Amino acid sequence: GGTEFGMMSTTTELSVAIQYTGGKEMPTVFKIGIGAVNRGAVLDAFSQYPEEKEVLFPPLSFLEVVGEITYMTTKDNKVVRVVPLEIIANLNSPLLEDLIGMRKKLYIDSFEHQAHNLERELKDLIATTQSEFCTEVEPAEKETVIQDIVRQFKEVLENHVGRPAKWYNDDGKYRSAVIEMLGMKENAMAVPFLSMVMYREWEGKQKQLRQANRMVSKDRSRALRQAFSDGSLRKTAAFDVCKRHGIVAEQLEERNEMQETPLIREAADGDARHVEWLLEAGADVHAKMLNKIGFSALNQAA
């Protein structure tokens, strides 16, 4: 036996099968037994040549010889070799709808995974964080806030579930959707870091998650400029901010595919706030791209 890697075209008409053997002196045809499950698609209604009675089997179907080879003679006295086979059709081949919807499925699965874990992650963060929100807000009120955060997160998810699958096959739209998903997670996880003043202000702004993250980000930027007189503490705080915002994955001087450090990349992209945080963290201003260009952050910012 063996596996047919491509689509396998067959016919229920012996004369059509012999026609496609190319006029050989003793052609070989396969007589394929099928069952209720292992059967192909009848294409009469869609074929340009319906008289050929074509039946199409999916890729990666397995064929196995199940009996003795026999010979038969056609009406025009042509001898034909007949090989009896059974087929195990590959039922896992994706449908056209599956292929079109693959990107959307990957995205929605990822978003649902984030939503499923969000409540637990928030509770763990609140239990281990010494912010004013975590220590001063009453437990019942914190639980209400957590449920509201999860609700807002799931509302954005439902908006994406309702979008057509083809929407996600546009690279620009898919990229914006991924950024939105990750941004919503970042927005949600910012709430426990609110001070009481910020929390009460946030309550008056309809508790929008994005607004909470903006307030926390501004507060962190202000803290970097004012709070730490110790240089090492300041660098550590700035590095944590860079990691939290995805500016740095693991190391301050790591390189991307263009051999740029995060500071060179952000200077080239013109993101002044990210450049400020990287400088506060102690990024090397004189580091250069490890290629023939050799630009530094100063070159890119000029």
Side-chain angles (χ1 to χ4, degrees):
T3 300
E4 175 58 64
F5 290 100
M7 302 286 285
M8 187 171 67
S9 177
T10 65
T11 177
T12 57
E13 291 290 328
L14 178 61
S15 60
V16 174
I18 294 173
Q19 174 187 335
Y20 277 95
T21 61
K24 296 180 179 178
E25 184 176 343
M26 185 183 291
T28 299
V29 298
F30 296 149
K31 184 178 181 181
I32 302 173
I34 63 172
V37 174
N38 295 306
R39 57 182 179 179
V42 178
L43 301 186
D44 293 4
F46 312 100
S47 176
Q48 186 176 356
Y49 307 102
E51 67 278 1
E52 291 188 349
K53 303 296 181 184
E54 184 178 6
V55 179
L56 194 65
F57 287 88
L60 302 178
S61 293
F62 183 78
L63 297 165
E64 180 182 9
V65 178
V66 291
E68 296 294 328
I69 296 175
T70 60
Y71 298 88
M72 64 174 294
T73 304
T74 63
K75 293 180 181 178
D76 55 357
N77 294 319
K78 192 170 188 175
V79 178
V80 178
R81 182 187 293 110
V82 180
V83 180
L85 302 174
E86 280 190 0
I87 187 170
I88 300 176
N90 175 27
L91 303 179
N92 293 322
S93 292
L95 301 175
L96 180 60
E97 292 82 357
D98 297 329
L99 294 173
I100 293 173
M102 191 171 294
R103 261 193 175 184
K104 179 180 179 180
K105 184 179 185 305
L106 289 171
Y107 177 78
I108 296 300
D109 286 350
S110 179
F111 213 139
E112 287 178 341
H113 176 74
Q114 300 269 13
H116 178 74
N117 293 322
L118 183 59
E119 182 174 348
R120 174 183 55 79
E121 290 180 13
L122 281 168
K123 289 182 177 179
D124 289 346
L125 181 61
I126 290 171
T128 57
T129 301
Q130 296 300 311
S131 70
E132 292 181 8
F133 173 86
C134 297
T135 58
E136 296 183 23
V137 175
E138 293 296 325
E141 187 175 352
K142 281 189 285 193
E143 180 63 28
T144 301
V145 172
I146 289 172
Q147 295 307 318
D148 191 52
I149 292 171
V150 173
R151 176 189 60 77
Q152 288 188 52
F153 195 86
K154 289 184 176 180
E155 282 178 356
V156 177
L157 169 60
E158 289 304 313
N159 288 338
H160 281 281
V161 170
R163 280 184 172 148
K166 288 184 177 180
W167 189 91
Y168 296 86
N169 293 333
D170 179 281
D171 287 348
K173 292 176 180 176
Y174 188 74
R175 183 174 185 273
S176 71
V178 171
I179 291 172
E180 181 178 27
M181 175 181 66
L182 297 176
M184 282 300 297
K185 178 66 177 295
E186 181 182 329
N187 295 340
M189 302 305 286
V191 173
F193 294 97
L194 292 170
S195 67
M196 287 306 296
V197 172
M198 289 191 293
Y199 174 60
R200 295 309 177 193
E201 182 183 349
W202 181 60
E203 279 189 307
K205 294 181 178 179
Q206 300 180 329
K207 295 185 177 180
Q208 294 298 315
L209 298 184
R210 190 182 301 274
Q211 184 63 35
N213 193 25
R214 287 172 179 166
M215 295 168 75
V216 171
S217 294
K218 288 179 181 178
D219 188 60
R220 285 170 176 162
S221 296
R222 187 164 47 250
L224 284 177
R225 292 190 297 269
Q226 300 174 356
F228 299 111
S229 57
D230 187 315
S232 61
L233 288 176
R234 190 172 183 133
K235 287 182 178 181
T236 300
F239 183 65
D240 288 343
V241 170
C242 290
K243 288 185 68 175
R244 192 175 293 115
H245 286 268
I247 305 166
V248 172
E250 295 179 351
Q251 299 176 0
L252 201 56
E253 303 302 326
E254 62 198 16
R255 303 275 175 166
N256 63 10
E257 79 287 352
M258 291 180 62
Q259 296 303 309
E260 297 172 322
T261 64
L263 182 60
I264 296 172
R265 182 194 67 230
E266 297 301 327
D269 291 344
D271 196 316
R273 185 175 66 163
H274 290 182
V275 168
E276 178 186 358
W277 289 342
L278 287 164
L279 290 173
E280 292 281 4
D284 185 359
V285 178
H286 302 290
K288 295 183 178 181
M289 297 167 65
L290 301 178
N291 53 30
K292 293 181 180 179
I293 300 175
F295 281 166
S296 68
L298 294 173
N299 295 125
Q300 298 288 37

